[in-house]
Amino acid sequence: MSSIFKIAQISDCHLFSQTDGLHHGANVYHNLVSVLDEIKNQHLVDAIVFTGDITQDHSEKSYQLFVQAVVESNITLPFYYLAGNHDELELLDKYLSVPPFNGEKVFNDKYWQIVLLNSKSETPKGLVTPSDLSAFESIVDGKKHQLVMMHHHPLDVGYFIDQHGLENQAEFWQTINKFSSIKAITCGHVHQALTLYSNQSPAIPLFTCPATSIQFDTNKSAGASNGQGPGYRVFSLFTDGKIKSDSYFLTKE
């Protein structure tokens, strides 16, 4: 493994039970296949992480189609995953149980610890429970740098999706701020590629991952496409704790 640990992040596929299902006019299965193909052929990454919302119609078939897309892409890298607000944890674990999927929520290289933090609640809003925050504190390895990955956004982004953001932001950041080794947070859910910063000093960056389905029109009061193509992120994690993160968008066909 090189001295730079690289991770591709994908999020918010919003698949249906059929491969021709459309989400705000976009063929979301085709978008997912195209993103996976580009990651495989254009980026030398060490792992892929999916940060939630496989399904739009909540069908079991949509999970099967997600697995089908990944397997048929011939990706053999470790492929980690989190639940989004649309997902069911039981169905994720049921179907994402074949290679290359890995259900572990912590993975490491020599210098970095990647922690996948569950934020799914009983509502579309996010919640990292007190028990999950306590468990998180117990696993942080202070001898390494951390990248924390989650579905819901722990900082407001300034458009309609904030009504479904993380409910317990204060408690979340109180926990995060205990560890100087945490270098960044990344999330899905917002269907945009944004970079925000916490209000602590030094500020911790929050990267948001563009969706493989649609990018939200931030001027609308509810979910609508802004016409942009599907996207994803790539993180380059350096031995000294620095992070480079780039977002990529495919040309809309």
Side-chain angles (χ1 to χ4, degrees), residues 164-179:
H164 301 311
L166 189 70
E167 283 194 278
N168 58 330
Q169 290 187 17
E171 291 81 4
F172 172 83
W173 285 107
Q174 185 177 28
T175 298
I176 294 298
N177 293 345
K178 293 179 181 179
F179 301 98

Side-chain angles (χ1 to χ4, degrees), residues 148-197:
V148 179
M149 309 186 78
M150 58 198 298
H151 179 69
H152 292 84
H153 53 300
L155 291 172
D156 288 348
V157 295
Y159 53 99
F160 73 88
I161 196 65
D162 285 340
Q163 65 187 304
H164 301 311
L166 189 70
E167 283 194 278
N168 58 330
Q169 290 187 17
E171 291 81 4
F172 172 83
W173 285 107
Q174 185 177 28
T175 298
I176 294 298
N177 293 345
K178 293 179 181 179
F179 301 98
S180 60
S181 57
I182 297 175
K183 302 304 180 185
I185 317 291
T186 185
C187 69
H189 194 48
V190 306
H191 291 241
Q192 282 283 328
L194 307 173
T195 304
L196 307 170
Y197 292 90

Side-chain angles (χ1 to χ4, degrees), residues 56-76:
Q56 176 63 25
D57 65 2
H58 301 268
S59 66
E60 291 200 35
K61 182 64 175 177
S62 61
Y63 292 84
Q64 293 174 291
L65 287 178
F66 181 84
V67 173
Q68 175 182 307
V70 174
V71 171
E72 291 184 353
S73 75
N74 293 315
I75 287 172
T76 57

Side-chain angles (χ1 to χ4, degrees), residues 5 31-32 49 59 63 97 109 112 124 167 172 185 199 206 211 217 235:
F5 190 56
N31 283 357
L32 172 62
V49 180
S59 66
Y63 292 84
S97 59
D109 89 322
W112 283 86
E167 283 194 278
F172 172 83
I185 317 291
N199 59 9
L206 169 68
D217 185 338
F235 289 90

Side-chain angles (χ1 to χ4, degrees), residues 107-115 136-147 178-183 238-242:
F107 63 98
N108 298 269
D109 89 322
K110 184 177 180 181
Y111 299 96
W112 283 86
Q113 182 183 43
I114 315 303
V115 182
F136 172 78
E137 289 190 43
S138 71
I139 64 173
V140 172
D141 182 351
K143 296 179 181 179
K144 295 186 176 183
H145 315 296
Q146 281 79 41
L147 172 65
K178 293 179 181 179
F179 301 98
S180 60
S181 57
I182 297 175
K183 302 304 180 185
F238 297 87
T239 58
D240 61 358
K242 290 185 171 61

